[in-house]
């Protein structure tokens, strides 16, 4: 699935991050806090979304979603993210 130009414009103009509901800067796909959690090579496709190619942004969004899913699943498996008493 690739994104259309209208989807990119709508995504860049949203005020809230689709992942964490924090405020995000205009023109980015996700907020700064979520982008900083990604490895450096994954960040470029999620910034200045309106100026990028549709396929580049859709691949970057898919890669970020896969990274967050796998990364946080592995943390949970080792007991991270839970408060212990």
């Amino acid at each position: 699935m690739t994104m259309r130009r209208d989807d990119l414009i709508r995504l860049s103009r949203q005020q809230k991050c689709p992942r964490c509901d924090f405020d995000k800067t205009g023109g980015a796909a996700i907020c700064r806090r979520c982008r900083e959690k990604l490895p450096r090579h994954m960040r470029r496709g999620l910034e200045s979304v309106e100026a990028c190619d549709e396929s580049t942004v859709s691949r970057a969004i898919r890669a970020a979603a896969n990274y967050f899913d796998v990364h946080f699943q592995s943390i949970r498996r080792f007991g991270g993210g839970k408060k212990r008493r």
Side-chain angles (χ1 to χ4, degrees):
M1 179 182 126
T2 59
M3 301 182 82
R4 295 177 297 169
R5 178 60 60 186
D6 298 335
D7 298 332
L8 294 180
I9 292 170
R10 189 173 347 110
L11 179 66
S12 68
R13 292 183 180 165
Q14 278 182 337
Q15 299 216 351
K16 300 284 183 182
C17 178
R19 183 176 173 271
C20 66
D21 290 332
F22 281 120
D23 290 333
K24 66 181 184 86
T25 56
I30 58 178
C31 69
R32 179 181 294 178
R33 183 176 172 216
C34 292
R35 284 193 315 257
E36 287 177 358
K37 292 179 183 178
L38 289 170
R40 181 175 288 177
H41 69 279
M42 293 178 137
R43 295 179 197 160
R44 183 174 294 172
L46 300 172
E47 298 168 348
S48 304
V49 174
E50 289 183 0
C52 292
D53 184 34
E54 294 92 355
S55 61
T56 304
V57 176
S58 62
R59 276 185 275 144
I61 290 172
R62 185 177 300 119
N66 289 337
Y67 174 80
F68 283 127
D69 187 37
V70 171
H71 178 68
F72 287 114
Q73 278 182 2
S74 64
I75 289 174
R76 287 282 185 190
R77 286 187 190 132
F78 289 104
K82 298 178 187 174
K83 289 185 178 182
R84 297 185 185 229
R85 294 180 184 187

